[in-house]
């Protein structure tokens, strides 16, 4: 599974980022209140706001308007080294609505895909702020994270994503003397792809070894990458969705680690510091073709509430992560997650456990990178250290988003379990196409809540009927290869649920294939 920043289109043609601070545009963060909840009620964080990722911002020579980076290349007459860029270039404030199509209204955030002004901006990435200079940090263990989302205007090839990454709360200022901008200006991004399109890492320009992208006029890759663990709570459009943990074995699990060479999973995708694929639960990929989409059980033609619960072995915020549950609320109904629908091949579970990941990787023939990077328990150790909330809209210059919403890889029979991930055509999702045909696309996130299990949502629980088998799937004879009790999803409000009686909920040691 590809994550969102492999080759993110940056669109604003005359932009870059830097670590000094400019003074041409005041940086005013749009407000985005959210709620922290207990079983006694919710408290609104009314001063919360968002900030734009520094990769989108204009960077120029300090004191004048000359660009340090234009199109997809550094200005080498200014930036002859990482140190020279850092000392000479200034990072500017953002005009959120007019330049980037980013607006807030009450507790709702709208991210527009294409915004045309003096330049054309493609996509965006923002972070939730605790204060004007610090990101809001979350430890979701033994908690649930809930939000409303409208993906009705996101077609094939687009991704409206909400996820956690192990960034530093101050954007890396304390660790990097060259970083004078910090979280206020959206610095310090990292994720499990160890992205090399980040122009400044640890306060230093990624100019040395920079190569412009052959298919993206605004991006490139440098000699270094930015690695850290990533928990994809929501990667979705109106066709498909997935939630996916991605652990990393970075130094001391301490947030962003700059990588080079093979550490960045290059050239061996599975030989670096992080798990690029993750262990994903995509209902369509797991065999239920009637669950998520326009007019389906979870109807993507209208707003929905998404609830993600992080269950630990001892029901505490310091326990071992053993399960990640998902449910939805729509039209007053609490909808349990779909179940895996490959009888005879996989157990019909509806959540992510270590056993689900082990069985799924084997059944689908996927690389065991998730296991090799420490699995679910290691993901939990990263979350316990605190993660930053990221919200984004993007298109995919690496794989056209086919890993999310089509059949991927495209040269394998789509009837093979694990290949079909959505109904989009295998020739869909090309950035040149979606940037033209879906220029008006947008995603709206709202009503963010975080708190005790069962405290952030309400509704009437429903039971789902058995989904029909995926077309072309013929169950093998002899029954399921495993005989464990399947996990059931708790869909009512109330006390912290007990841990399901599954090996995935009690296993503490994970093998490496």
């Amino acid at each position: 599974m590809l994550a969102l920043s492999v080759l993110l289109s940056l669109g604003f043609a005359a932009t870059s980022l830097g670590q000094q601070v400019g003074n041409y545009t005041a940086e005013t963060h749009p407000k985005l209140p959210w709620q922290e909840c207990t079983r006694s009620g919710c408290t609104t964080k009314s001063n919360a706001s968002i900030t734009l990722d520094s990769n989108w911002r204009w960077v120029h020579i300090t004191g004048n308007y000359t660009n340090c980076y234009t199109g997809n290349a550094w200005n080498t007459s200014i930036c002859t080294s990482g140190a020279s860029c850092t000392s000479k270039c200034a990072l500017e404030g953002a005009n959120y609505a007019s330049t980037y199509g980013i607006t807030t209204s009450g507790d709702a955030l709208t991210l527009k895909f294409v915004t045309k002004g003096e330049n054309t901006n493609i996509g965006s990435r923002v972070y939730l702020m605790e204060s004007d200079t610090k990101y809001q940090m979350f430890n979701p263990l033994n908690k649930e994270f809930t939000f409303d989302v409208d993906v009705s205007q996101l077609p094939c090839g687009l991704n409206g994503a909400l996820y956690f990454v192990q960034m530093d709360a101050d954007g890396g200022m304390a660790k990097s003397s060259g970083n004078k901008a910090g979280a206020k200006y959206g610095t310090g991004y990292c994720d499990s792809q160890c992205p090399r399109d980040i122009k400044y890492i640890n306060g230093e320009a990624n100019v040395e070894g920079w190569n412009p992208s052959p298919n993206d006029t605004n991006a490139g890759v440098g000699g270094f990458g930015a690695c850290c663990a990533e928990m994809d709570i929501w990667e979705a459009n109106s066709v498909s969705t997935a939630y996916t943990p991605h652990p990393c074995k970075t130094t001391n699990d301490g947030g962003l680690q700059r990588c080079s060479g093979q550490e960045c999973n290059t050239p061996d995708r599975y030989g670096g510091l992080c798990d690029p694929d993750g262990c994903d639960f995509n209902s369509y990929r797991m065999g239920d073709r009637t669950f998520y989409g326009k007019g389906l059980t979870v109807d993507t033609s209208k707003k929905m509430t998404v609830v993600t619960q992080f269950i630990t072995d001892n029901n505490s915020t310091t326990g071992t992560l053993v399960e990640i549950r998902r449910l939805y609320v729509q039209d007053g109904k609490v909808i349990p997650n779909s179940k895996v629908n490959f009888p005879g091949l996989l157990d019909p579970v509806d959540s992510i456990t270590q056993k689900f990941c082990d069985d799924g990787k084997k059944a689908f023939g996927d690389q065991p990178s998730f296991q090799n990077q420490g699995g679910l328990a290691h993901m939990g150790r990263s979350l316990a250290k605190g993660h930053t909330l990221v919200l984004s809209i993007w298109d995919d210059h690496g794989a056209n988003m086919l890993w999310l919403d089509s059949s991927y890889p495209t040269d394998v029979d789509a009837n093979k379990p694990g290949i079909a991930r959505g109904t989009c055509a295998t020739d869909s999702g090309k950035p040149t196409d979606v940037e033209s045909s879906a220029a008006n696309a947008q995603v709206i996130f709202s009503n963010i809540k975080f708190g005790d299990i069962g405290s952030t949502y309400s509704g009437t629980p429903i039971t789902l009927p058995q989904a029909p088998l995926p077309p072309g799937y013929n169950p093998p004879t002899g029954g399921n290869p495993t005989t464990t009790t399947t996990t059931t999803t708790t869909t009512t409000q109330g006390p912290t649920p007990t841990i399901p009686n599954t090996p995935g909920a009690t296993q503490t040691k994970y093998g490496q294939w």
Side-chain angles (χ1 to χ4, degrees):
M1 190 67 58
L2 302 177
L4 68 90
S5 61
V6 179
L7 279 174
L8 197 61
S9 178
L10 303 179
F12 189 29
T15 64
S16 175
L17 80 144
Q19 306 288 233
Q20 308 298 321
V21 176
N23 57 11
Y24 295 133
T25 302
E27 176 62 19
T28 303
H29 296 145
K31 295 295 184 182
L32 187 66
W34 60 281
Q35 293 185 302
E36 188 167 19
C37 302
T38 68
R39 283 180 285 278
S40 299
C42 298
T43 301
T44 299
K45 305 291 186 179
S46 57
N47 291 325
S49 62
I50 56 161
T51 189
L52 176 69
D53 183 285
S54 53
N55 236 35
W56 269 258
R57 295 173 182 267
W58 174 37
V59 163
H60 52 84
I61 294 179
T62 303
N64 73 50
Y65 291 89
T66 303
N67 293 331
C68 290
Y69 179 97
T70 302
N72 58 10
W74 290 95
N75 184 341
T76 55
S77 67
I78 302 167
C79 293
T80 56
S81 68
S84 65
C85 281
T86 302
S87 64
K88 295 177 181 178
C89 298
L91 179 64
E92 200 58 63
N95 291 315
Y96 282 79
S98 60
T99 300
Y100 301 102
I102 300 169
T103 57
T104 60
S105 177
D107 65 9
L109 167 68
T110 300
L111 302 177
K112 294 189 177 295
F113 178 45
V114 178
T115 304
K116 294 186 177 181
E118 292 184 7
N119 298 278
T120 298
N121 179 72
I122 309 295
S124 59
R125 184 166 65 213
V126 301
Y127 310 115
L128 187 65
M129 303 290 287
E130 176 187 8
S131 68
D132 202 40
T133 58
K134 286 188 176 181
Y135 300 130
Q136 178 65 53
M137 306 302 286
F138 293 91
N139 171 11
L141 297 187
N142 196 43
K143 302 288 185 179
E144 66 187 21
F145 187 93
T146 298
F147 61 97
D148 293 352
V149 64
D150 183 342
V151 295
S152 62
Q153 297 184 56
L154 289 181
C156 296
L158 292 183
N159 190 334
L162 180 153
Y163 59 108
F164 288 137
V165 289
Q166 197 182 345
M167 296 166 62
D168 291 316
D170 66 354
M173 286 186 73
K175 292 181 179 178
S176 306
S177 60
N179 185 346
K180 309 301 183 184
K184 181 176 181 178
Y185 291 85
T187 68
Y189 182 74
C190 53
D191 67 31
S192 64
Q193 303 300 312
C194 298
R196 293 164 58 209
D197 65 334
I198 307 301
K199 297 188 189 73
Y200 273 79
I201 302 173
N202 289 343
E204 185 172 319
N206 195 15
V207 62
E208 296 166 30
W210 184 271
N211 291 306
S213 169
N215 66 351
D216 187 341
T217 58
N218 301 289
V221 294
F224 299 100
C227 303
C228 68
E230 171 182 357
M231 176 64 225
D232 292 325
I233 292 179
W234 181 254
E235 292 195 279
N237 52 34
S238 61
V239 175
S240 295
T241 186
Y243 72 105
T244 313
H246 298 261
C248 293
K249 288 187 176 177
T250 49
T251 302
N252 298 322
D253 300 326
L256 189 159
Q257 180 173 335
R258 191 174 78 163
C259 66
S260 63
Q262 185 53 63
E263 289 180 328
C264 304
N265 293 350
T266 302
D268 177 6
R269 176 172 171 81
Y270 303 104
L273 295 173
C274 291
D275 168 27
D277 292 358
C279 174
D280 62 296
F281 197 111
N282 172 331
S283 293
Y284 196 97
R285 190 182 189 216
M286 295 303 153
D288 190 336
R289 310 294 164 81
T290 63
F291 182 72
Y292 178 93
K294 290 188 175 182
L296 301 182
T297 301
V298 176
D299 187 354
T300 60
S301 67
K302 52 189 175 182
K303 184 169 68 175
M304 70 192 75
T305 299
V306 182
V307 183
T308 310
Q309 300 172 333
F310 295 81
I311 310 301
T312 61
D313 61 345
N314 61 2
N315 292 341
S316 80
T317 58
T318 59
T320 299
L321 180 64
V322 293
E323 184 181 14
I324 308 174
R325 297 177 179 169
R326 165 59 50 82
L327 55 90
Y328 302 85
V329 184
Q330 197 170 49
D331 297 331
K333 299 175 181 178
V334 180
I335 305 169
N337 195 26
S338 63
K339 287 182 167 60
V340 175
N341 192 33
F342 289 110
L345 184 66
L346 289 169
D347 288 331
V349 297
D350 61 359
S351 65
I352 293 176
T353 65
Q354 188 62 43
K355 185 178 186 305
F356 162 82
C357 298
D358 292 344
D359 291 349
K361 294 288 185 181
K362 291 178 181 177
F364 294 166
D366 292 345
Q367 289 285 337
S369 178
F370 181 76
Q371 289 83 347
N372 294 342
Q373 295 292 352
L376 198 60
H378 196 59
M379 183 76 240
R381 286 189 282 273
S382 171
L383 291 169
K385 295 177 182 293
H387 276 225
T388 299
L389 180 65
V390 187
L391 306 100
S392 178
I393 184 170
W394 63 291
D395 59 357
D396 182 2
H397 285 259
N400 301 337
M401 216 69 73
L402 301 179
W403 54 268
L404 175 67
D405 59 23
S406 184
S407 295
Y408 189 82
T410 59
D411 59 352
V412 180
D413 183 0
N415 289 324
K416 181 181 181 293
I419 299 301
R421 301 143 190 269
T423 59
C424 297
T426 55
D427 62 354
S428 68
K430 297 180 180 67
T432 52
D433 294 339
V434 295
E435 289 167 17
S436 174
S437 64
N440 293 325
Q442 65 178 33
V443 62
I444 304 174
F445 296 106
S446 60
N447 197 26
I448 295 172
K449 295 182 179 182
F450 175 74
D452 295 340
I453 301 289
S455 70
T456 67
Y457 69 98
S458 62
T460 302
I462 66 170
T463 301
L464 299 181
Q466 177 64 46
L469 291 182
Y473 178 66
N474 296 309
T477 59
N480 283 18
T482 57
T483 57
T484 59
T485 304
T486 61
T487 301
T488 58
T489 300
T490 299
T491 59
T492 58
Q493 283 186 291
T496 301
T498 56
I499 302 302
N501 181 26
T502 67
T506 57
Q507 186 176 2
T508 58
K509 295 182 180 179
Y510 309 113
Q512 297 183 3
W513 301 354

